C-alpha cells in the first residue's frame, strides 16, 4: 500500500509539474477520503509512515527551520505561526496554524485551524493546498502514540488524558491502535468538556471504560500512560 501511495504521489507531482495544476483538498474532501479509506486504516497508515519518517530522518536531506509567527491580543488573543520543511531537490511543505482560544464560543470554530501547502522546488509551483485542521489533530495523535510506544510499558492498561477537547479524541484513537488498554481517565478544566468526552469518542467503537476524573492528582496517580492535549 505504501508503494502504491508513493507511486500515486509521484505521478501527481510530475503531472502538476507538467501542467502547472494545483490539487486543492478542502475540509469536505478530507472528510470523503476518511470515509472511503476508513478512520482506523488511515490512522494505522499514518502511524507507520510517521515511524518511518522518524527512523530515516537525515538533516542532510531535510531542512526544518525554526517555526515563526505572530502573537497578538486584539481583536482577540491569537497566534498564527508557520512551520516549514524542505526535502532537498524535491519539495517544500509549509503548515500554517492559527490558535484562537475564543473560537469555539465566539465563532463556533475549532481552537486550532490549519492549512497545508506544498511547492515544487524545481519551479516554485504550488503543488497542493489542503485544509490541515483534521490532519494536524490526526498527526499529533499519531506522534503521541509513537512516543508512548517508546517510553511506556507495552502492558499499559490505563490511559490518562489531560485536556478533553478535539485533540484528545485523536490521542485516544492513536493510542488504542498500539495498546490494549481497558480504561481511560479524562480531566479538563471545563467539566462539561470532560463529561461529554465518552459520547464524543463513541464513534470510534472502542471497547473501553471512559471516565471523567474528579481531580487531576487522582488521574496522574492512577494511569499507566499520561497524555496531555492542552
Amino acid at each position: 500500500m505504501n508503494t502504491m501511495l508513493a507511486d500515486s504521489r509521484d505521478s501527481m507531482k510530475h503531472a502538476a509539474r507538467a501542467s502547472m495544476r494545483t490539487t486543492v483538498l478542502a475540509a469536505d474532501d478530507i472528510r470523503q477520503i476518511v470515509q472511503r479509506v476508513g478512520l482506523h486504516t488511515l490512522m494505522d497508515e499514518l502511524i507507520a509512515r510517521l515511524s518511518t519518517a522518524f527512523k530515516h530522518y537525515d538533516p542532510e536531506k531535510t531542512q526544518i527551520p525554526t517555526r515563526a509567527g505572530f502573537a497578538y491580543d486584539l481583536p482577540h488573543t491569537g497566534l498564527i505561526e508557520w512551520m516549514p520543511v524542505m526535502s532537498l531537490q524535491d519539495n517544500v511543505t509549509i503548515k500554517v496554524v492559527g490558535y484562537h482560544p475564543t473560537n469555539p464560543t465566539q465563532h463556533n470554530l475549532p481552537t486550532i485551524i490549519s492549512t497545508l501547502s506544498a511547492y515544487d522546488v524545481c519551479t516554485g509551483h504550488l503543488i497542493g493546498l489542503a485544509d490541515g485542521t483534521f490532519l494536524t489533530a490526526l498527526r499529533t495523535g499519531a506522534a503521541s502514540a509513537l512516543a508512548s510506544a517508546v517510553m511506556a510499558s507495552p502492558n499499559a492498561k490505563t490511559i490518562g488524558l489531560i485536556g478533553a477537547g478535539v485533540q484528545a479524541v485523536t490521542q485516544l484513537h492513536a493510542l488504542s491502535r498500539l495498546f490494549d488498554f481497558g480504561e481511560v481517565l479524562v480531566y479538563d478544566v471545563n467539566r462539561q468538556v470532560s463529561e461529554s468526552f465518552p459520547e464524543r469518542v463513541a464513534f470510534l467503537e472502542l471497547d473501553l471504560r471512559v471516565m471523567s476524573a474528579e481531580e487531576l492528582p487522582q488521574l496522574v496517580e492512577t494511569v499507566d500512560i499520561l497524555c496531555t492535549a492542552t
Side-chain angles (χ1 to χ4, degrees):
M1 185 174 183
N2 285 341
T3 301
M4 292 175 61
L5 289 173
D7 291 342
S8 175
R9 185 176 63 249
D10 290 341
S11 297
M12 290 176 60
K13 183 171 62 179
H14 293 317
R17 184 176 297 170
S19 63
M20 296 298 287
R21 293 180 180 176
T22 300
T23 300
V24 179
L25 298 175
D28 285 342
D29 299 314
I30 301 295
R31 188 176 296 109
Q32 290 182 34
I33 292 172
V34 173
Q35 292 174 348
R36 181 172 299 180
V37 175
L39 193 56
H40 293 333
T41 299
L42 191 61
M43 179 61 82
D44 291 344
E45 180 79 6
L46 179 57
I47 290 173
R49 282 173 170 263
L50 199 58
S51 177
T52 299
F54 283 139
K55 289 177 181 177
H56 297 288
Y57 168 69
D58 184 349
E60 294 186 357
K61 297 179 180 180
T62 306
Q63 293 184 8
I64 308 178
T66 303
R67 68 176 64 184
F70 301 107
Y72 41 87
D73 295 319
L74 296 173
H76 304 291
T77 298
L79 170 69
I80 292 180
E81 58 181 355
W82 43 93
M83 309 167 197
V85 58
M86 179 171 71
S87 297
L88 298 183
Q89 303 181 40
D90 190 1
N91 64 74
V92 168
T93 300
I94 302 175
K95 181 170 77 170
V96 179
V97 176
Y99 171 73
H100 297 80
T102 60
N103 270 1
T105 56
Q106 296 193 8
H107 304 290
N108 195 30
L109 291 171
T111 301
I112 297 175
I113 294 177
S114 174
T115 305
L116 301 169
S117 56
Y119 305 84
D120 181 357
V121 298
C122 291
T123 65
H125 173 62
L126 176 63
I127 302 170
L129 184 68
D131 186 296
T133 303
F134 173 72
L135 298 179
T136 293
L138 204 68
R139 190 271 311 160
T140 305
S144 293
L146 282 174
S148 299
V150 173
M151 295 185 288
S153 167
N155 299 317
K157 296 300 181 183
T158 308
I159 305 294
L161 296 173
I162 301 177
V166 174
Q167 183 59 68
V169 176
T170 63
Q171 302 273 11
L172 175 60
H173 183 209
L175 286 164
S176 73
R177 306 307 294 171
L178 297 184
F179 291 89
D180 182 21
F181 52 88
E183 185 174 271
V184 180
L185 288 177
V186 182
Y187 177 85
D188 196 287
V189 291
N190 186 332
R191 187 61 184 269
Q192 289 183 326
V193 173
S194 61
E195 290 181 347
S196 69
F197 189 74
E199 181 180 351
R200 288 187 286 114
V201 299
F203 73 98
L204 294 173
E205 298 181 344
L206 303 176
D207 185 18
L208 296 171
R209 183 185 181 195
V210 183
M211 300 178 296
S212 175
E214 295 287 341
E215 301 291 340
L216 185 57
Q218 169 201 359
L219 181 150
V220 174
E221 294 170 2
T222 302
V223 300
D224 298 320
I225 296 177
L226 182 63
C227 192
T228 59
T230 59

